[in-house]
Amino acid sequence: MKAKSITIAGKPLSRFYQLPLEEGSRVLRLAVLDQIASRWHSTFSVGKKPEPLAMQSLSFDQGLLTVHVKLGGEEARVYVGVEYDCLLVSCSVDTDESYLGHYAYLTLRAMMRSGYCDFQEYYWPACFALGNKRSRYVDVVKKPGGFTITLKKKFSGLFRPGDDFPDVTERTVVPRERLLDKHAMARLAPVNIGYCFANTDLLNFHSNHYPFLIPYVFSATAYLKTVKSFKRFVLNPHDVDGVSLSPQQQELNSICFAMKEIAAIRFNANGHLPEKAAETHKLNEANQLALLKLWNKALPLLMQQRFTHYFYTYGLRNVTGKPVMRDMKMVEFAMEVPVLSFVLKDEGDYYELELKLKVKGKLLHLNMDQPGLFLVCDRDKPYLWYLLEAEMDYKLVLFFSKVNFKVQVPKGYYREFFEGFVEGIERWYEVKRG
């Protein structure tokens, strides 16, 4: 990964001092820096109040952070390159591959106001061509006091070593209940029960639940064709007292109640230990899979119901009391299973992996205004929803939906960090190479 032919201030990157980053991150901790710097204790006065260092300016060229500093009456430039597992540091005055100089030490120390510094924002491996200050992948925009680095729109799915990716170890299909007699629709009545697809955006900070079904009681119009008014959400069996239910609706209600019990997303409070965070993550994943299984049980029963709606909740706090008419949109569900496939394209100096979904051989253009985790719909038919059939399916769809369904990988690290993922995908899905 290291482009050792780049030369800064007369030094190739091979002569930059290497500092170890915290495993699985781009974080350098002060304790690690001081431990290394203690080799030159008499020079650096490690552990004492640091000398006053003024940072004059920051710039970012050819993937390297340059810090212009002033100490006393002298000036220097400190160069920092962020790699997958180490920080490369040099200086216009004294640092090389065997010696962490005074200016480099004080500059890094000044960047650690909280006892550490996360260099993730400067981590753009293989994104800058030699001799070219501009990158085809990112834009570096100067502004007062520094600069910002942003991905170009075309490369919103740029993958970097260390980025999280869904596991593709095993794809297990959740058994789908067979479709019941589709002509045996629920009987009509002036006051009846319908079913609501309660959904929200999982990427939104305020969202706090996974997609689930919740029954509602409504009053129909004179000819029993549309909803005249919504009475209440059905939160427990007593909420349907006085409403005549079919055996299928009773079964579906039980599934709905089971869904709501596990629909809430668990969060970690600030300061939770990593072990606690891992436990919470494991519980959330188990609840996701349990919900997918319940959706599969509910689907054939749901298709027998005459009244089904969609409600974008903005959070569980709104799934209570009486549904608001303007928020409830009529929807339908289908038994057809969406099929995932991928296209891997060679784009010169990078590869692009694109996710595609098809239903009955026809391409599905996902509506990302209403991401449904286990369920997907076409943007031209937002009222018709399809249920995915495997845990791996919805995790891949969720991941790729965040990056416009395309991931770009520079060839400089494709083989080492990404090829294994593509090979894992190929064990379960079609991958066309072009």
Side-chain angles (χ1 to χ4, degrees):
M1 287 177 55
K2 299 173 186 175
K4 295 187 177 183
S5 55
I6 295 179
T7 299
I8 298 293
K11 299 178 184 179
L13 284 186
S14 59
R15 290 190 56 201
F16 278 45
Y17 194 89
Q18 293 190 18
L19 290 163
L21 296 173
E22 194 167 89
E23 186 176 359
S25 74
R26 315 284 88 74
V27 171
L28 177 67
R29 296 201 173 272
L30 180 59
V32 173
L33 178 65
D34 280 349
Q35 183 181 18
I36 292 172
S38 63
R39 301 171 189 174
W40 306 283
H41 187 282
S42 60
T43 304
F44 294 171
S45 299
V46 173
K48 298 181 180 180
K49 184 177 180 180
E51 301 172 60
L53 180 86
M55 291 190 183
Q56 304 286 89
S57 64
L58 296 174
S59 61
F60 193 77
D61 296 313
Q62 296 186 43
L64 287 170
L65 173 67
T66 301
V67 187
H68 184 189
V69 298
K70 189 173 183 179
L71 181 63
E74 297 185 359
E75 296 184 1
R77 285 182 173 81
V78 175
Y79 308 101
V80 180
V82 187
E83 296 289 334
Y84 172 65
D85 56 358
C86 69
L87 209 63
L88 301 177
V89 187
S90 191
C91 178
S92 59
V93 178
D94 53 4
T95 297
D96 59 25
E97 73 275 17
S98 61
Y99 175 71
L100 179 66
H102 199 192
Y103 288 99
Y105 168 73
L106 290 176
T107 299
L108 292 173
R109 202 180 197 287
M111 298 174 76
M112 299 182 181
R113 295 182 177 88
S114 301
Y116 71 94
C117 183
D118 190 345
F119 289 88
Q120 181 69 25
E121 64 179 307
Y122 311 117
Y123 176 57
W124 299 102
C127 288
F128 291 82
L130 293 179
N132 187 355
K133 290 188 177 182
R134 291 182 176 272
S135 168
R136 70 178 303 175
Y137 304 103
V138 301
D139 286 319
V140 182
V141 181
K142 294 182 180 179
K143 63 178 184 179
F147 56 89
T148 59
I149 308 172
T150 57
L151 282 167
K152 294 183 178 180
K153 186 176 181 180
K154 181 180 178 181
F155 297 101
S156 61
L158 185 74
F159 169 85
R160 290 173 290 178
D163 288 350
D164 289 333
F165 235 80
D167 291 332
V168 291
T169 53
E170 185 175 355
R171 179 179 183 269
T172 304
V173 173
V174 175
R176 182 161 300 185
E177 301 291 333
R178 68 180 181 84
L179 180 63
L180 305 175
D181 183 0
K182 61 182 179 180
H183 300 293
M185 300 296 288
R187 58 181 176 269
L188 297 177
V191 176
N192 211 327
I193 190 169
Y195 295 88
C196 176
F197 171 14
N199 189 31
T200 191
D201 185 356
L202 297 179
L203 304 182
N204 190 298
F205 175 75
H206 297 288
S207 299
N208 62 355
H209 71 83
Y210 299 117
F212 67 100
L213 284 170
I214 184 166
Y216 57 83
V217 175
F218 70 95
S219 174
T221 54
Y223 294 99
L224 308 180
K225 289 187 176 181
T226 59
V227 172
K228 179 180 179 181
S229 64
F230 293 100
K231 300 295 185 182
R232 59 188 174 274
F233 282 119
V234 177
L235 304 174
N236 58 69
H238 299 296
D239 289 335
V240 291
D241 288 349
V243 180
S244 178
L245 301 178
S246 69
Q248 290 81 10
Q249 288 174 330
Q250 291 175 353
E251 183 180 355
L252 189 50
N253 284 2
S254 297
I255 295 172
C256 292
F257 297 149
M259 282 186 173
K260 192 172 185 302
E261 283 292 316
I262 57 175
I265 299 173
R266 272 63 173 181
F267 295 97
N268 288 305
N270 291 335
H272 272 180
L273 296 174
E275 295 80 8
K276 183 64 176 177
E279 181 183 327
T280 302
H281 177 73
K282 186 176 180 180
L283 176 60
N284 281 331
E285 293 220 322
N287 286 343
Q288 287 179 28
L289 182 56
L291 279 165
L292 176 62
K293 293 177 179 179
L294 289 170
W295 270 102
N296 272 275
K297 287 184 176 180
L299 186 59
L301 296 166
L302 196 60
M303 294 186 66
Q304 288 188 323
Q305 307 308 309
R306 292 180 180 270
F307 291 88
T308 52
H309 283 77
Y310 176 92
F311 174 33
Y312 189 88
T313 69
Y314 295 97
L316 275 175
R317 66 188 181 280
N318 299 317
V319 188
T320 185
K322 179 181 178 180
V324 178
M325 179 70 78
R326 68 174 179 271
D327 295 334
M328 301 287 278
K329 313 298 181 183
M330 291 192 68
V331 294
E332 297 177 3
F333 298 88
M335 288 295 290
E336 288 83 5
V337 177
V339 177
L340 280 65
S341 65
F342 294 82
V343 177
L344 182 67
K345 296 179 182 179
D346 186 334
E347 299 288 359
D349 57 352
Y350 70 94
Y351 289 104
E352 183 173 76
L353 183 66
E354 181 180 7
L355 168 65
K356 294 180 177 292
L357 276 89
K358 293 182 179 179
V359 174
K360 297 171 64 175
K362 185 177 180 180
L363 192 63
L364 197 67
H365 300 284
L366 290 193
N367 179 13
M368 292 322 300
D369 291 334
Q370 300 178 154
L373 191 60
F374 319 115
L375 299 101
V376 294
C377 68
D378 193 291
R379 59 173 174 256
D380 294 328
K381 295 182 179 180
Y383 55 85
L384 181 61
W385 288 84
Y386 302 91
L387 181 64
L388 298 166
E389 67 173 359
E391 182 180 18
M392 190 188 298
D393 290 1
Y394 73 73
K395 288 186 175 181
L396 286 170
V397 171
L398 178 63
F399 175 83
F400 276 85
S401 68
K402 301 173 187 177
V403 293
N404 198 29
F405 301 99
K406 296 178 181 179
V407 172
Q408 300 83 33
V409 189
K411 288 184 176 178
Y413 50 78
Y414 171 84
R415 185 176 298 275
E416 182 179 0
F417 291 98
F418 196 75
E419 190 173 47
F421 174 78
V422 175
E423 291 173 348
I425 289 286
E426 284 184 303
R427 286 197 291 270
W428 306 106
Y429 306 96
E430 178 188 22
V431 178
K432 292 184 179 179
R433 298 175 182 265

